[in-house]
Amino acid sequence: MRDTRESRLLLVLLIAIAFALITVDIRGGEDSPLDGARQAAASAFGPVENGVASAVDPVGNAVAAIRDSDERHDRISQLEQENTRLKQRLGSDDRNRARTVELDKLRKVAGAGQYGIKGAEVIGIGAAQGFSWTVTLDVGSDDGIQRDQTVINGDGLVGRVTTVGPSTSTVLLAIDPDFTVGTRMEKSSELGFATGRGDRSLHVQLLNGKAKIKKGDRLVTFGSQADKPFVPGVPVGKVVRVDPTGGDLTRTLQVRPYVRFSRLDIVGVVVQPPRSNPRDTVLPPKPAKPKPAPTVTVTATPSATATSPANRS
């Protein structure tokens, strides 16, 4: 339509009519004369609106689904993080319980041998120098640790202190080939020397080649002069093999150490030796031998019918 005077007058007229109809509809309320026309328009345009809504709703649902998916993903991530934290805490609790057991065993050994100990934790394996079987402890000279002190744990002899720093110290393990300790057999008191052989059994050489030794016999440390580097009575191990003498003046034994060196954690450095030799008192009690099951003998007795006078006649 061209922009003419007539077209402008028509536009003004249509606007005026629209305002007039709006005014009449508002004043009429529910009885508005335009209500029928409005319903007719709703009937005509309703299906079109439903079609548009049907077309738009899947998009809206998809957006809502994506939003809900993000929320579920965030919730799953939170649950996974909580699960990880719980597993870590559970693992930590298990480790703490194991360490508590180790510490309790160490205290019992120290109490039985009357050893004054300084508790320590293994924080490193191997030394900076050489290829020795050593571990590093988190205690040093600031904690009263000195060279040539005995190191034990809840099972027995771990080794001896060789190097001491202000806050750490190095322990030569009893399985090191350069490690040697004097030993004494339980009960018989036969003396010998135990030498480490790495991950194999300890090699023990008894001074008495005719000593009567059998598999399962136990050894403890004999002790050193002035209790350095070894205090007496610390459990060393159990005999697993007795080598033939072959006419030698000494006798060789293979001894499995009590300490599990691959699982060292809590140990104690003996900073005060016992007042007297504990001898065999630190060794754990031997398990009781199972009692033989009682034997029951059943004796059959003659029946009354077989022994009656009537049967004999």
Side-chain angles (χ1 to χ4, degrees), residues 6-42:
E6 291 79 3
S7 64
R8 287 197 294 272
L9 290 174
L10 180 59
L11 178 60
V12 171
L13 180 61
L14 290 174
I15 293 173
I17 292 172
F19 275 108
L21 291 174
I22 293 172
T23 302
V24 171
D25 185 43
I26 292 173
R27 290 182 177 180
E30 295 181 356
D31 298 328
S32 171
L34 299 178
D35 186 60
R38 185 164 52 248
Q39 291 179 359

Side-chain angles (χ1 to χ4, degrees), residues 262-305:
S262 61
R263 299 179 60 179
L264 288 175
D265 187 9
I266 302 298
V267 300
V269 181
V270 180
V271 294
Q272 183 176 353
R275 294 182 179 179
S276 59
N277 191 336
R279 300 189 68 81
D280 301 332
T281 58
V282 186
L283 284 168
K286 290 184 177 180
K289 294 182 179 179
K291 295 181 179 180
T295 303
V296 179
T297 304
V298 178
T299 304
T301 57
S303 62
T305 303

Side-chain angles (χ1 to χ4, degrees), residues 226-278:
D227 298 309
K228 285 191 175 183
F230 301 110
V231 294
V234 179
V236 175
K238 183 184 298 186
V239 175
V240 293
R241 193 179 76 187
V242 181
D243 295 337
T245 58
D248 296 335
L249 297 178
T250 60
R251 189 158 202 181
T252 303
L253 313 175
Q254 307 302 325
V255 173
R256 180 185 297 118
Y258 285 119
V259 174
R260 302 178 67 177
F261 292 93
S262 61
R263 299 179 60 179
L264 288 175
D265 187 9
I266 302 298
V267 300
V269 181
V270 180
V271 294
Q272 183 176 353
R275 294 182 179 179
S276 59
N277 191 336

Side-chain angles (χ1 to χ4, degrees), residues 74-111:
D74 293 342
R75 180 56 179 163
I76 290 173
S77 298
Q78 292 177 359
L79 291 174
E80 288 177 347
Q81 293 174 2
E82 291 176 2
N83 191 31
T84 300
R85 286 194 294 268
L86 287 174
K87 287 182 178 180
Q88 292 175 347
R89 182 177 178 181
L90 180 61
S92 177
D93 290 343
D94 289 342
R95 184 168 184 265
N96 289 335
R97 282 192 290 269
R99 289 161 66 89
T100 300
V101 172
E102 287 296 317
L103 185 59
D104 185 58
K105 290 171 59 179
L106 175 60
R107 288 172 176 170
K108 289 181 179 179
V109 168

Side-chain angles (χ1 to χ4, degrees), residues 124-143:
I125 301 175
Q129 66 276 8
F131 297 93
S132 301
W133 294 74
T134 61
V135 293
T136 302
L137 307 183
D138 63 347
V139 292
S141 57
D142 292 345
D143 305 287

